[in-house]
Every structure is written in structure tokens, then in C-alpha cells.
Amino acid sequence: MPHTTGVRKRKVAVLGATGPVGQRFISLLAGHPWFELAALTTSERNVGKRYADAVHWLGGPDVPEAAADMRLESTRADLDVEICFSALPPDAATEWESSLAKTGHHVFSNDKTHRMDDDVPLIIAEVNPEHANALEFQRRNRGWKGSIVTNGNCTAITLALAVAPLHRAFGIERLMVTTMQSLSGAGYPGVPSLDALDNVVPYIGGEEEKVETETQKFLGTWDGARFAPATFEISASCNRVMVRDGHTESVSVSLRGRPSVAAVIDAMSAFRGRPQELRLPTAPERPVVVRAERDRPQPARDRDTGAGMSVVVGRIREDPVLGVKFTALGHNTIRGAAGASVLNAELLAAEGCLGA
Amino acid sequence: MPHTTGVRKRKVAVLGATGPVGQRFISLLAGHPWFELAALTTSERNVGKRYADAVHWLGGPDVPEAAADMRLESTRADLDVEICFSALPPDAATEWESSLAKTGHHVFSNDKTHRMDDDVPLIIAEVNPEHANALEFQRRNRGWKGSIVTNGNCTAITLALAVAPLHRAFGIERLMVTTMQSLSGAGYPGVPSLDALDNVVPYIGGEEEKVETETQKFLGTWDGARFAPATFEISASCNRVMVRDGHTESVSVSLRGRPSVAAVIDAMSAFRGRPQELRLPTAPERPVVVRAERDRPQPARDRDTGAGMSVVVGRIREDPVLGVKFTALGHNTIRGAAGASVLNAELLAAEGCLGA
Amino acid sequence: MPHTTGVRKRKVAVLGATGPVGQRFISLLAGHPWFELAALTTSERNVGKRYADAVHWLGGPDVPEAAADMRLESTRADLDVEICFSALPPDAATEWESSLAKTGHHVFSNDKTHRMDDDVPLIIAEVNPEHANALEFQRRNRGWKGSIVTNGNCTAITLALAVAPLHRAFGIERLMVTTMQSLSGAGYPGVPSLDALDNVVPYIGGEEEKVETETQKFLGTWDGARFAPATFEISASCNRVMVRDGHTESVSVSLRGRPSVAAVIDAMSAFRGRPQELRLPTAPERPVVVRAERDRPQPARDRDTGAGMSVVVGRIREDPVLGVKFTALGHNTIRGAAGASVLNAELLAAEGCLGA
Amino acid sequence: MPHTTGVRKRKVAVLGATGPVGQRFISLLAGHPWFELAALTTSERNVGKRYADAVHWLGGPDVPEAAADMRLESTRADLDVEICFSALPPDAATEWESSLAKTGHHVFSNDKTHRMDDDVPLIIAEVNPEHANALEFQRRNRGWKGSIVTNGNCTAITLALAVAPLHRAFGIERLMVTTMQSLSGAGYPGVPSLDALDNVVPYIGGEEEKVETETQKFLGTWDGARFAPATFEISASCNRVMVRDGHTESVSVSLRGRPSVAAVIDAMSAFRGRPQELRLPTAPERPVVVRAERDRPQPARDRDTGAGMSVVVGRIREDPVLGVKFTALGHNTIRGAAGASVLNAELLAAEGCLGA
């Protein structure tokens, strides 16, 4: 029963602790049964400040007590922690994540830098936990004592988790997705309000490529030396809308054997993964929640399902072109970012991949 | 030169004059060079009131002077006008539009009731003006002195106008569209603010069916006795977002001969129609405006292009699944509703289809 | 220790259970340690339906389990409950609240109908709990077995709670307030999104009068036969803004003796009431939370302070005209409505005013 | 008739042309009958670029043709123009505005740097045109060939214009204002959307002081050597709300002689100024428009009144504390900024203060 409190908590750092994803890490790790917040890192200008003084906290009136009085540090290779949860921006991620892995840290990263590396797993704990098998190769290949596990783009995670049951049950041939993404996905200060109000911005830099390639990697296989992506055709169109949290995705999919809508609903509803088996602390009861109402999911109402760790799917119906279509919703800073990392760390800890 | 001011203006009525589409009719017809506002109709409880007193005017500080002091009337078959612009709700449209056509009125309707009738043309003036040839058959068939012309669902108009150049130049095989539609499309009071704020509603009743069937009718042909729809496959997914005006549509399309992106851009940019040839008063210079910026069109910035009568297209790029994808934007209450009707009336007047 | 679980829970009804305030009652009462949801009432067209099927639930993905399967009933005088929490609209409140009180029910009402009655207390549990002394007079006067206690307009509650410490410590001479009120205060469907988006509506019907008169009653006294309102001058200007929950109030006040800003901060920070002494289940630790940041309180960040039961005050500073000014924020459907009623019921239960 | 097109147009520059206020200057000056856009200046990184390429244009689909192809320049003292419209940020304004005035330019500035200087007039063309008499003193005093005229903070302009008729007719004793200000007032990128959505921010740095001091200067007098501010008491509380353009202000005022509400309405409605007498090109027909509806003015509906140059006032009613209260609305980037500057330049040109 790996979810019970063990003898000791592992010390963890949050790298890049002041941005929206860093803040979600703080919220998820304050009071975590297995992990103990031991270091918060930040860019130079904030080093030395109390966390509560430096952060523009977005998650409610007050910073959690466990973090409020911690002093912000620089990111450095000799952080005295076992696990690093990285919300670093790309430049800092490139500079620090491999250094930290080299010196024995287990890095769980939200950054894109290493996601598509041949020996770095991109993991959704319920979808492709077996990709963690690449870590042994990674350590040997790179001469690292630690490791890097990435968790993918927020939009790709929501999509891959929603379609994983279908790929497993039937096999995906073609997939098209149009997204309506939230403002928090752009960080803080992020999208200027004059661009967001009464508007849709039909472009998010680099997003469509990430969704297309990462979804294929999530649903692909590890062959012992590299990742082989799933080979279905995929097209993504990404839009920004005036929503605080939660990415809504309009998905159409062509499946092998042309299963009925009922069969698709069954496959999604029945889906469970290793985190549910292991009863990991951050695992939602159901990773994919199917709703029957004709006008759901909606971000304002459904994004906190499963404490933000469930992807909510609705409007599953026939698609005259590809076969089946539906709407999926995922909380982008929880299931799509910090929560995904924490769940990955729990999974690897429970599976014994992080040492004793 | 049909656009010059002729000997006389035709008297027109706006049916259902107080809703958002009725209001757009008022704005477009106040000061129109060919048409003269002669009657405004409404539901019973407002009959007899000054228009400015009865309407919750949404289009700026004040009702246009041409309409402010007009008295609201009941809709009735003997209205003393030649042309009726109908923004009636379905029940009233069913009750009155054919009665008015029977008694010699030319009805230009925004309602869905007659759109898919076998002998009622569904016209976008630039796309399928030749469908007006059905009117002679319609009169004979129904024993009407007048006629009904419909102009389609706002989302379908935007879509059909954007893809018409491609269907004409190449032929559409398959088409997929996901929409992000504005609040004004739901009328007034329409969407409650508690449902709109910080939210996306992934459902609009009946909308997807309309978009799928009407687009095929717009791009189909009149065979002398009935309309034959275009036969490409089409799938629509419709969403409501927090935008005042302007429907944004993410479109993917498979075209015969797999034309290049450049060829698609050329076909769209070069597109002109009969309204442009005839220089109709409400015709935009370019019915489809192609923008090169990577983050356009956006409703807040582009919806008033061509005084709201142009559809704006951007992000034309390759689609890994269907071939080509892009974003289209149309002003739903102007190009997608009242403006489309007025342009249709101008077209038929200029072509001599409405009598001398 | 009245907050411990006693021998039995009191059975309670929510009257008008489907609107936003009714929904908050459900959320607060599901799992309440002293009260047990025993009846939910509604208007005729929903009678007999499952609560979860009839309600447009706004508080998250799902209706609380305790209420989801309950059947909606008509409001009627012989409801088998001790306490009725009323979120009835004015007409129904006028019809039913006194009937229910007559037949022995203790009615805690959010409606305005009886608020200004001479023998009906208008109570904020921390501000004027002694107004409950009027209940004995009320019963005798009206020949009721039960009672009615009202809790005031949401804007007035927030204001009165914020200034109560100042009235107590110094005495208010003059008070001016301009409000920026949330959409949920208008109910559902409430404010049309076309009126709310990119807008401020500087008018809320009847609100300014309520704020002015109710604040004076809250801060007034019970003389044994009637309520004598506080006699300071008060002026309210009420606006609707695009916020889901939380009324923000810009307050200026003239106090006897011209206390310093520091003295005002001290008085507010130190304020506690009877609910805090009694540790009532719904009582926040601090009824008034003073924040030092220069840009707080903000509804998006602070409205859930104290589980929505604290009023948050910030920007306490000198006012060149009246002496002191500040910004106050209260959660309008919790502290300003359902939560206020529940706290009043807890108070009266704990004080022994509701029978054994 | 100074508003007719004269022999020649004066060449003008817009300083700081890419921000929201700079953009409004471009819109107002493209096609202006008296002024010709001859130079656009910007910060270093954009120098040399086409204006249309460098600007994030917010005012519609396209930059006006008159400016689109102009090359951006550095601000410098020898600009070959007569008039400089300054939308410079404070640092650049401090550096350049007096240099430009020294070398003979007439600078009309939106910046705060010189607003409260003893010899720099702060002018609303309808309110205090006689303050331009200070310019002769200014030139002598500073040894300048040109001049600086400032036009005040956007919130202060709206307030001062709304109350000027009351100060003139009755005399103001005390004034209190709470504002709900738009996002465009914070520039671009300005307010992050995560702070704006579903929120009110009750703080705008420096704003309250500006409103208080500038309003007194506007309504004060020039004594030949310095400006004597009006001496009424004034208190401002400033808030940011989710509105694109238009500042809404809730105003209470104590007037000498306690005039009736009807007298206040009359004074405001009858108010006209020198720009109306002179029929200046940018002058609205009525500087203050009084509306009788109980729920107006609203920014979404009324901000474009008088092409954005009218202040709209509504809800004029008794205030139990100060005497009279009302709501005022002004378009912050037109009447509150660029339009105010342009109108001031027109006024001074028409009055012969800018040379032949």
C-alpha cells in the first residue's frame, strides 16, 4: 500500500516557484503526504525574499502557510532535495534541468525543452506509465545519477488522456482538435486584458506543433532505446478565449472498426490507470469523467472535477466526417501541468523508480 | 447603374424589429438609398409604443432618428410595403411569412422556418445569386404574388462565404468546422451572464445541423424544380464564448487536386461576386478579406471589416489530416443576418426580380 | 459548548431551493452538524422533480449528494421541519413566510418583505444579536408559534459588518458608499450577458434604498416594542459589474472624535462577535479581515476568505471630505445571503431561542 | 469662421505614437481639416519601422492609411512640425517636452509631468479656456519660443467637465467620487487578463491624487503669475473594472445654495463652451449630455456619444449626505486624452495663440 505514509517524506524543490504553474505546485505540495517542500527557486531579482512577499498569488486570498515564509533561492545544481518539480521557463530549464539530473535529482519538468528528447519520457501516469522504463537507459546514456521525466503540454495532456481509452480499445486513425484555451496557460502577466476582453485570439505560438507531436509520443511506445510515436494523422488548431482556467477541446476522431457512440462512451467511462490501482495521493477516482448533459463540459462548472485531475468529456456523438466527436475539458494548471508532475512523481516513487 | 438613386424608394417593413437582428435592420435601413422604413412590427405587448421606448437598444447611445418615433405595429398580411425584412421568431415566422408572400410582399427572412424548403432559395448574394431563379417556380408552385428568400444561419453564412471560392476553384470533398460564437447570436436577453462569464458553452441548440445542411444548400444547385445540395461531407461543432459580436470558425477542408496553400490564398483573395459587380449599396469591396498576420482574424479587431459585411480569413496553412485549414470570422448580426438580407434585397431589386 | 453535535439534528427546509441563494443554502447545509435537510420547495412547474434534474447548478460540477435525489415540493404551511431557510422570491415570501411562522416554524428569510417590519429583527449575528430579543414580542404581537428573522440585503450586510466596529468604537456621523456588485446578486438567469460584457450598469432597482435603511436598522436598537434605527446620514450608489460573486464597496465615513487611520484599523481588526465566542459551525474566525496590501480586497482573490463568511477590508486611509475611507468586500450569496441565514439560525439555536 | 479649411494645414507630430493614446491621436488626426500628420515618434527599438508594422493596433482592423506607411522616428528637439501631441511616458516626457517647447514647438501633452507646474495650463477647452492666458507668462518665464499645454488625467477630465456647469452655476463645496475605470487607461499591455477577469482592482497608482488636485486646478483661476486651485474639499476612490473603454464615475456633490435636482439638470444640459461657439472640428455638439433613463450612462452603450467627446451624465438625484449625486461617463482615450489635446490645439489655433 504505497499510498500510506511511509517512514519519511522526500524533500522536494519547486523550481520557478512564483509563476502560475509554480503556484499550483505549492498548493498541491503543501500538506502532501509523501513530499515535503524544502526549497523554492526563482529568478535573480527575487532571491532572498519571503515567498509570500515575492509572489503575485493567484490561488485565493493567501499563500499556503507551508510556503509563505520560505525564502526564495537561486536554482543551483546542489539543491538539498531528492525531487525537483520544474516550472522553469525554457532558458532556465535548458540551463538547469540536466545539471540537476546529473547531480542525482529526479526532475519532473513542465518545460518543453526535453519533452521530445529520444531518451526522456513524456508521461501521463494513467496513459503510458511504462515509458518510465526509459529512465534506466537515460541514466546510462547520459551518465546521470538522477533523471528527467516530463509531462507535456497542458493541451496535449488533456487530449491524450481523453483519447487514450479509445486508442487502447480501438486504435486511432485520424484525429482533429480545435481548442479554446484559458488565460492561465499563458502565464503571468501573460495575455493583456485588452487582447482578451470580448475576443478570441486564434493563435498560440508553438502550441499546435506541441499538441500534434506530444500526443503521438504519449500514445507511442518505448522500444528499449528510443520512443516510437503513434502513427495516426493529427491536426490541431489552437485558440485563446476569455477563461481563467481550463482548456476546452473540440475533438473528432476516426477509430479502427468504426465503433458505435455507445462503445466509445463505455471505453472512456471504464478507463482507469495505474494511479487508480495504486491509489496514489493525487490520483482522481476517475481520470476521464463522461457527462451525459448535452451542454457539458464547461470550464466554469467542470474544471475542478476530481480536484482538477480528471479530464471531463461530454457531447460524445457521431461525426459525419471522421466517425466520432466530443468535447474534452482539462484543468490546464492542475491536470495539464503541476498536478501531472506530482502524479508522475508519486507513480515513480510508488513503483520504486526513485530509490528507497 | 442600379446603385444610383432611382425615381422612388421602395417602402419596407422590419418584422420583429426590437430584437438584436431587428435592430441591425434598423441601423442598416436608416438612410438606405433604395429603401424607406415604413413599418416596424412587434409582438402584441409592444404594439402602439414608440420604437425608441419599446426597444432595449444595443447599438450605441441612441436609436437612429429615422426609426425612433415610429409606432410599433402588429405583423399583418396587408402591410403597405413592398419588402418585408423578417427577424421574426420561428412561431411568428411560420404564421406570417407565407401570408405576406401570398399577398404580394417580397419577404427576406432570417428565420429558419423556410430555409430548407424545396422551392425557397437560401441565398448569399456573392455565393449563389442564381438560386433566385427558383422564385418564378416558387410563385407558380405556391400561388403567391410575392416571394420568400431566406439568408441562412449566421454561422453557415460565414462558413459558406469563406469556402465558396474554394468550392468554385477546386471542389470541396470534406469539411470540418469548430465554431466560437458570440453572445448576440443568442438574441436578447439570450445567454445569462452567469453562464457566459469565465466560460465556454459547448452546445448551441440545433446549430450544428443548420451549419451542415445550409452550407450544402448554399453551395448546391437549382435544377429548375428543386435544390440539389452540394455533396461533400461536413461536420460542425458549435460553441458559445464571451464575445459580443462576431463568430470565429476554425475550418479544415479537403479539396480536389490538393491545391497548395498559396493557391487557396489566391482563390480567396480574388473572390468577388455579383454584388461587387453591381456595386450594390451594402456590398463590401471584398466579400472575403485574407489577412497575413499570424494571429488574425480576431472578433474584437476584425468584425467590422467592410462595415461588418466582409468575412475575414487568416492563418491559412496546411492541415495534416484534411489538407488545408484556416480561421474565418463573420459579423453574425450584420453579414450573418440583417446585412445578408438587405444585400439579397438589393441584389434582387437590381436584377429586376422584385418588379419595377 | 453549543457547537458540539447534540442528541439530535433539527430538520430544516430550503424554500425556493433552485435559485442561486437556494443553491448556496444546499451547499452550506449538506453535511451541517446541527441541521438536516428534510425538504426543498420550489415553484409549481418543478414540483415532484429530483432536485438535481430541476436545478441549473452553478456551484461546481455536481449537486451535493445530500440533496441530489431529494424531490422538490410545494411550499406549504405544514412542512414537517423546525426551521425554514427562505430564498423565496417576494411574492411567495409574502404568501408563505408568515403562514409558516404562524404554524410554529422558525423562518430565516433572505427576502425583503418583512425586513423593515417593526417587530421583525434584521440580524447580522456578529453585529446585533440582541435584536433577537424582539422575537418574544413578535410571537405575542402576531400570535405566532414560530418566528421570522431576516438577514438583510447582501450589500447592506457587507457594509454593516464592515462599519459595525467603527460604530461601536466611535459612532458614525455620516456614511457614503458606492458599490460594484456581482452578477449572482441578480439571480439566475439574471443579468443578460449582452448587458454585462464590457460594461457597468449604474443602477440596481431598489438597492440603494435597502442599503440605506437596512444599515441603519442593523446598527440601531430594539426598545422592547420596536426597532429604532441608527440616525447617521447615509448615501448609497449601486452599480453592477462583470464579476461572478462578491460585492466590492467603496466606503467613506465620518466618525465621532475623528479617530486616526490606525485606530480604525485596530477597531476593525479586533472585532469579534457572539458567533466567534460561541464557535458556531458557520462562524468565520474573524468576521472582518483587514488586509494591508494597497490593491486589496479583490473579488477574484478574496471573496472566499473565511469560507465566504468574512468581510474583507483594505485600503483604509484618510478621506479629505469625511475623514476615513476604505474598500470592503463580501461574498454576496454566502455572507450576504445563505450563510448569514444559517449563522443566524445557529446563533438562535445556541442561545436557546428556537426551543429545545 | 475658424473651422473652415484655411490656406494651409499645420504640420503636427505624435510623440509616443504606438501606445493606446498615441493610436487615438492617429485616428483623430488622420483626415483632420487643420492638422497634417508629419512625424510619428517612438522608443528606440521601433525607430525606422513602418508605423503599421510596429504598432499593435487596437482601433479596428487596420491602421488609418494616412499613418500606416509613415516611418517611426526618435523624439528630438528639431522635429519639423509646429505642434507636438505628446503621448510620451513620464520619463520621455520629462526629457523631451520642455526641449521641444524651447525650440518653438507647441506641445499638447497627456503626460502628468508638467500638469501641476505653476505656469503650465491644464486645460479642458470647454471648462477653463482662459487658462491659456498663462502661456505668455510661461514663454517669458521659461525663455521658450513654444509652449506646453497639458490636458489632465482622463478621470479628472471627465469629472471636471461634468461638474464644471455646477461649479459655475452654484459653486461646489464638497465633492466625492468613486470611479470604475476601463482597461485602456492602463495602456498596453497594461492590466494582465488574469487580474481583470471576474474582478475589480480597487487601486490605481497615483490616480486618486491626480483626480483630486487636477480637478481643483481645472476649476481654479489664473492670477497672472500662477494658478490658484478651486478650494472645495474633494475625495476620490479609484477602481479598475473589466471594461475596454470609458470611465464610469459615481459622483456626490455639495453645492452652494442647495439647488434642486431640476436646477442641476438644467445647468448641466444648458452647458456649452468656447469650442461649441467656435464650432471647432473636434468639439461635440454638447460637451455634457444628460440622459433621463434610470440605468444610464453605461460604457458599452454611451462611451461613443459625441464621437467620444461628450461626457454623459445620468441618474441625477438627491444625495442624503451631500445634496446631489449622479453618474458620469467619459471616453478615457478620446475625451480623457487624445481628443482633449486635439481640441485644446484647435482652440488655441482658433484663438490665435499658436501664431499665424
Side-chain angles (χ1 to χ4, degrees), chain B residues 20 56 58 183-184 187-199 242-245, chain C residues 20 56 58 183-184 187-199 242-245:
Chain B
H56 182 81
L58 296 163
L183 301 166
S184 62
Y188 184 87
V191 183
S193 51
L194 289 173
D195 288 334
L197 172 64
D198 185 16
N199 206 15
M242 188 72 184
V243 165
R244 182 174 295 276
D245 292 308
Chain C
H56 181 82
L58 295 162
L183 301 165
S184 62
Y188 185 86
V191 183
S193 51
L194 288 173
D195 288 334
L197 174 63
D198 186 16
N199 207 15
M242 189 69 184
V243 165
R244 182 174 295 276
D245 292 308

Side-chain angles (χ1 to χ4, degrees), chain D residues 109-125 127-132 134-135 138 148-154 156-157 160 210-220 222 227 344:
Chain D
S109 173
N110 278 274
D111 183 63
K112 67 177 179 185
T113 304
H114 297 289
R115 279 184 201 157
M116 298 306 293
D117 287 2
D118 267 356
D119 60 353
V120 173
L122 183 68
I123 296 180
I124 298 172
V127 171
N128 58 338
E130 73 282 4
H131 285 205
L135 289 184
Q138 182 193 79
I148 296 180
V149 170
T150 62
N151 56 273
N153 168 278
C154 45
I157 291 175
K210 287 180 208 162
V211 174
E212 292 170 1
T213 57
E214 294 181 17
T215 302
Q216 289 178 319
K217 184 168 178 181
F218 280 130
L219 298 178
W222 168 248
F227 290 99
N344 281 346

Side-chain angles (χ1 to χ4, degrees), chain A residues 264-280:
Chain A
V264 165
I265 291 173
D266 285 350
M268 285 181 157
S269 301
F271 183 72
R272 299 291 185 281
R274 198 70 185 123
Q276 284 73 38
E277 287 171 31
L278 295 169
R279 298 176 179 241
L280 300 177

Side-chain angles (χ1 to χ4, degrees), chain C residues 29 38 46 60 118 156 166 174 186 194 198 208 210 232 236 243 256 260 263-264 333 335 348 354:
Chain C
L29 294 168
N46 280 323
D118 268 356
L166 308 183
R174 287 173 296 163
L194 288 173
D198 186 16
E208 297 173 352
K210 287 180 208 162
F232 52 81
V243 165
R256 287 209 190 87
S260 67
V264 167
T333 62
R335 172 46 95 166
L348 269 63
L354 304 185

Side-chain angles (χ1 to χ4, degrees), chain A:
Chain A
M1 302 225 310
H3 62 289
T4 56
T5 54
V7 182
R8 63 180 190 87
K9 284 190 178 185
R10 293 172 195 263
K11 290 166 85 172
V12 305
V14 175
L15 314 182
T18 59
V21 173
Q23 293 183 31
R24 284 288 180 192
F25 272 125
I26 304 293
S27 294
L28 292 166
L29 293 168
H32 193 281
W34 297 359
F35 304 139
E36 179 192 345
L37 273 178
L40 306 180
T41 81
T42 185
S43 55
E44 283 313 313
R45 70 188 165 79
N46 280 324
V47 169
K49 292 187 189 163
R50 271 181 79 237
Y51 181 66
D53 294 338
V55 73
H56 181 82
W57 186 255
L58 296 162
D62 292 295
V63 173
E65 279 188 31
D69 291 326
M70 291 179 71
R71 292 282 156 184
L72 284 160
E73 311 175 35
S74 298
T75 306
R76 52 179 215 279
D78 62 345
L79 284 172
D80 181 24
V81 300
E82 285 181 70
I83 293 172
C84 294
F85 291 106
S86 171
L88 291 172
D91 282 1
T94 304
E95 183 179 353
W96 288 111
E97 290 181 358
S98 35
S99 305
L100 282 157
K102 192 170 184 179
T103 53
H105 301 85
H106 298 291
V107 178
F108 291 86
S109 173
N110 279 274
D111 183 63
K112 67 178 178 183
T113 304
H114 296 289
R115 280 183 200 157
M116 297 306 293
D117 286 2
D118 268 357
D119 60 352
V120 174
L122 184 68
I123 295 180
I124 299 171
E126 286 91 343
V127 172
N128 60 337
E130 71 283 4
H131 284 205
N133 294 334
L135 289 184
E136 204 182 305
F137 179 90
Q138 183 193 80
R139 284 182 193 120
R140 211 168 49 228
N141 187 38
R142 305 218 182 197
W144 287 349
K145 294 183 197 160
S147 62
I148 297 181
V149 170
T150 62
N151 56 274
N153 169 278
C154 46
T155 309
I157 291 175
T158 297
L159 178 63
L161 187 46
V163 301
L166 308 183
H167 194 54
R168 192 177 291 184
F170 312 109
I172 296 171
E173 292 171 341
R174 287 174 296 162
L175 191 163
M176 301 193 65
V177 59
T178 294
T179 69
M180 291 155 280
Q181 301 185 214
S182 75
L183 301 165
S184 61
Y188 185 88
V191 183
S193 51
L194 289 173
D195 288 334
L197 173 63
D198 186 16
N199 205 16
V200 170
V201 179
Y203 176 73
I204 301 173
E207 192 82 355
E208 295 172 356
E209 296 73 12
K210 286 179 209 163
V211 173
E212 292 170 1
T213 57
E214 294 181 17
T215 302
Q216 289 178 318
K217 186 169 178 180
F218 280 129
L219 299 178
T221 53
W222 168 249
D223 72 3
R226 56 186 299 285
F227 290 99
T231 55
F232 52 80
E233 293 172 11
I234 178 169
S235 173
S237 297
C238 295
N239 302 280
R240 185 79 65 195
V241 295
M242 188 71 183
V243 165
R244 182 173 295 276
D245 292 307
H247 290 352
T248 305
E249 309 187 4
S250 173
V251 183
S252 291
V253 66
S254 167
L255 298 171
R256 288 208 190 88
R258 303 286 170 267
S260 68
V261 164
V264 165
I265 291 173
D266 285 350
M268 285 181 157
S269 301
F271 183 72
R272 299 291 185 281
R274 198 70 185 123
Q276 284 73 38
E277 287 171 31
L278 295 169
R279 298 176 179 241
L280 300 177
T282 302
E285 192 185 337
R286 289 175 292 162
V288 178
V289 171
V290 177
R291 295 202 71 103
E293 298 91 336
R294 64 185 186 179
D295 64 351
R296 304 282 281 271
Q298 297 175 14
R301 300 169 76 187
D302 294 307
R303 61 191 163 207
D304 291 329
T305 302
M309 288 296 289
S310 295
V311 165
V312 185
V313 173
R315 300 203 72 214
I316 305 177
R317 61 206 193 281
E318 291 193 5
D319 180 308
V321 178
L322 291 192
V324 176
K325 58 185 172 182
F326 56 84
T327 299
L329 169 76
H331 194 302
N332 54 299
T333 63
I334 302 177
R335 173 44 96 166
S341 271
V342 172
L343 188 62
N344 281 346
E346 292 169 3
L347 175 74
L348 268 65
E351 300 282 25
C353 303
L354 303 184

Side-chain angles (χ1 to χ4, degrees), chain D residues 68-291:
Chain D
D69 291 325
M70 291 180 71
R71 292 282 155 184
L72 285 160
E73 310 175 38
S74 297
T75 306
R76 52 179 216 280
D78 63 345
L79 283 172
D80 182 23
V81 300
E82 284 181 68
I83 293 172
C84 294
F85 291 106
S86 171
L88 291 173
D91 283 0
T94 304
E95 183 178 354
W96 288 111
E97 290 182 358
S98 36
S99 305
L100 282 156
K102 191 171 186 180
T103 53
H105 300 85
H106 299 290
V107 178
F108 292 86
S109 173
N110 278 274
D111 183 63
K112 67 177 179 185
T113 304
H114 297 289
R115 279 184 201 157
M116 298 306 293
D117 287 2
D118 267 356
D119 60 353
V120 173
L122 183 68
I123 296 180
I124 298 172
E126 287 91 343
V127 171
N128 58 338
E130 73 282 4
H131 285 205
N133 293 335
L135 289 184
E136 205 182 304
F137 179 90
Q138 182 193 79
R139 283 182 195 122
R140 211 169 51 229
N141 187 37
R142 304 218 184 197
W144 288 350
K145 294 182 197 159
S147 62
I148 296 180
V149 170
T150 62
N151 56 273
N153 168 278
C154 45
T155 309
I157 291 175
T158 297
L159 177 63
L161 187 45
V163 301
L166 307 184
H167 194 54
R168 193 177 291 184
F170 313 108
I172 296 172
E173 293 172 339
R174 287 174 296 163
L175 192 163
M176 300 195 66
V177 59
T178 294
T179 70
M180 292 156 279
Q181 301 185 212
S182 75
L183 300 166
S184 62
Y188 185 87
V191 183
S193 51
L194 288 173
D195 288 334
L197 172 64
D198 186 16
N199 206 14
V200 169
V201 179
Y203 176 74
I204 301 174
E207 193 81 355
E208 295 173 354
E209 296 73 11
K210 287 180 208 162
V211 174
E212 292 170 1
T213 57
E214 294 181 17
T215 302
Q216 289 178 319
K217 184 168 178 181
F218 280 130
L219 298 178
T221 52
W222 168 248
D223 72 4
R226 57 187 298 286
F227 290 99
T231 54
F232 52 80
E233 293 172 13
I234 179 170
S235 172
S237 298
C238 295
N239 301 279
R240 185 79 66 194
V241 295
M242 189 71 182
V243 165
R244 181 174 296 275
D245 292 307
H247 289 353
T248 305
E249 309 187 3
S250 174
V251 183
S252 291
V253 65
S254 166
L255 298 171
R256 285 206 192 90
R258 304 286 170 267
S260 68
V261 165
V264 166
I265 292 173
D266 285 349
M268 285 182 158
S269 301
F271 183 71
R272 298 293 184 281
R274 197 74 183 121
Q276 284 72 36
E277 287 171 30
L278 296 169
R279 297 175 179 241
L280 300 177
T282 303
E285 193 185 335
R286 289 176 293 164
V288 178
V289 171
V290 177
R291 296 202 71 104

